[in-house]
């Protein structure tokens, strides 16, 4: 009789534990959804602030040259945009119509420049994102850069050059953090 009572007691304890766990899961799942929604909303607001303040960095993850396969990028290729300057450090893959004077110089073979003379045009697109047109004035090779940014920070950059085939880059937008001066 005593073992039967112990068996029933253990069975009730297990069922009570099971019901307690079952009852607590929807609450924690709801909290997870809420925090995920909050993080998404915070990220969207941060991207919006970067676009409005004209202060961000495009981090390139993949190059998409015309007529070539996609190329994964594993270096720190980026375009830093602020109100007063553009600092571009990107590779180039594709056909050049004019050979560089020094083919071993990365500033002549890649898309690398710094400028303070440029036009910046920011417009919202229909899919809750932005389309930014950058036109550098004192850069010999790059004519125009068109950056399409989603509200979550995913981005596509199209670079149109004077003497090269156009090239695109996929990546994301991140905060432009000031560099430490030592």
């Amino acid at each position: 009789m005593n073992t039967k009572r112990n068996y029933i007691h253990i069975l009730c304890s297990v069922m009570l534990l099971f019901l307690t766990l079952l009852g607590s899961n929807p609450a924690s799942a709801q909290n997870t959804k809420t925090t995920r929604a909050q993080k998404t909303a915070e990220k969207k607001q941060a991207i919006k602030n970067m676009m409005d303040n004209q202060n961000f960095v495009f981090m390139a993850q993949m190059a998409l040259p015309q007529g070539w396969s996609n190329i994964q990028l594993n270096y720190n290729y980026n375009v830093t945009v602020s109100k007063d300057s553009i600092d571009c450090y990107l590779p180039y893959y594709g056909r050049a119509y004019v050979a560089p004077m020094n083919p071993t110089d990365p500033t002549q073979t890649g898309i690398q420049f710094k400028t303070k003379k440029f036009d910046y045009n920011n417009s919202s697109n229909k899919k809750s994102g932005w389309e930014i047109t950058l036109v550098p004035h004192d850069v010999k090779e790059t004519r125009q850069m068109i950056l399409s940014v989603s509200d979550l920070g995913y981005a596509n950059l199209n670079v149109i050059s004077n003497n090269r085939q156009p090239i695109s880059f996929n990546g994301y937008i991140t905060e432009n953090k000031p560099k430490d001066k030592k």
Side-chain angles (χ1 to χ4, degrees):
M1 191 70 146
N2 198 12
T3 58
K4 194 174 193 182
R5 181 179 273 167
N6 285 344
Y7 178 72
I8 291 172
H9 184 62
I10 291 172
L11 185 62
C12 287
S13 297
V14 169
M15 287 182 65
L16 183 61
L17 180 64
F18 178 72
L19 290 173
T20 303
L21 291 174
L22 185 66
S24 67
N25 277 345
S28 66
Q30 186 66 29
N31 288 340
T32 303
K33 288 180 184 176
T34 303
T35 57
R36 211 176 276 157
Q38 287 173 338
K39 286 181 182 179
T40 301
E42 289 171 1
K43 185 171 184 174
K44 286 182 179 182
Q45 186 60 45
I47 297 297
K48 182 181 183 319
N49 290 343
M50 286 184 244
M51 295 298 111
D52 291 345
N53 295 333
Q54 189 177 328
N55 193 18
F56 57 89
V57 178
F58 167 74
M59 298 297 296
Q61 294 178 308
M62 180 183 293
L64 301 110
Q66 285 188 351
W68 289 37
S69 303
N70 299 342
I71 300 168
Q72 292 289 334
L73 303 175
N74 56 2
Y75 296 106
N76 197 20
Y77 292 115
N78 63 65
V79 178
T80 303
V81 178
S82 64
K83 286 189 183 286
D84 64 344
S85 67
I86 298 174
D87 186 357
C88 183
Y89 176 68
L90 295 171
Y92 181 76
Y93 307 96
R95 176 177 285 167
Y97 301 114
V98 176
M101 294 299 285
N102 182 1
T104 59
D105 183 5
T107 60
Q108 292 184 19
T109 57
I111 305 169
Q112 298 179 20
F113 64 86
K114 292 180 183 182
T115 183
K116 292 186 179 284
K117 296 178 182 178
F118 64 96
D119 291 335
Y120 179 96
N121 185 12
N122 182 351
S123 61
S124 296
N125 64 24
K126 297 175 185 175
K127 296 181 181 180
S128 68
W130 298 268
E131 187 163 300
I132 297 162
T133 305
L134 303 166
V135 180
H137 294 296
D138 58 351
V139 177
K140 183 175 122 180
E141 190 59 45
T142 304
R143 185 172 7 140
Q144 184 179 44
M145 301 169 84
I146 302 167
L147 182 65
S148 300
V149 182
S150 75
D151 60 346
L152 287 174
Y154 301 108
N156 177 273
L157 176 68
N158 294 311
V159 180
I160 301 168
S161 299
N162 291 323
N163 296 312
R164 297 177 178 171
Q165 283 181 322
I167 185 170
S168 297
F169 298 90
N170 285 341
Y172 61 94
I173 298 298
T174 187
E175 183 180 1
N176 184 5
K177 296 178 183 174
K179 295 178 181 159
D180 293 334
K181 294 182 181 178
K182 292 182 181 179

